[in-house]
Amino acid sequence: RRVFVIYDGIHYDALAFCLNEALPADADVTQFSPKDDLVLEKARAVCSEQHKKKAFTDTSNFTLRCLVCQAGLKGANEAQAH
């Protein structure tokens, strides 16, 4: 079997094919045949589309604020050091 895992810079998600939006999410297909090249092409297209939309987290440049002292921080390194 083949599964696809998408990483957005923060966490991983399984790529799922929705058979019908009226069905519950557990009806989505997340395992595919390794011989199915069409599914592979579609998975690559989804990743490419998400990347073009910048649907990922740039952990080097994101900004956040400490909820304790209100300090403004930039990137994961500053956040971890703080």
Side-chain angles (χ1 to χ4, degrees):
R1 299 211 172 252
R2 175 186 279 171
V3 297
F4 299 97
V5 180
I6 309 297
Y7 182 63
D8 70 359
I10 299 291
H11 69 276
Y12 295 88
D13 286 307
L15 185 67
F17 178 72
C18 177
L19 297 172
N20 183 329
E21 291 185 22
L23 296 175
D26 62 355
D28 291 352
V29 178
T30 57
Q31 296 182 26
F32 308 93
S33 167
K35 297 177 183 178
D36 191 340
D37 291 334
L38 180 60
V39 169
L40 178 58
E41 288 177 33
K42 287 183 177 187
R44 286 181 172 155
V46 166
C47 291
S48 179
E49 179 182 315
Q50 293 301 304
H51 194 264
K52 286 178 187 173
K53 290 180 178 179
K54 301 206 182 289
F56 57 88
T57 302
D58 180 354
T59 58
S60 298
N61 294 307
F62 67 76
T63 58
L64 58 127
R65 182 164 310 281
C66 174
L67 295 177
V68 174
C69 70
Q70 304 305 312
L73 307 166
K74 181 179 179 183
N77 290 339
E78 281 188 23
Q80 289 173 342
H82 182 69

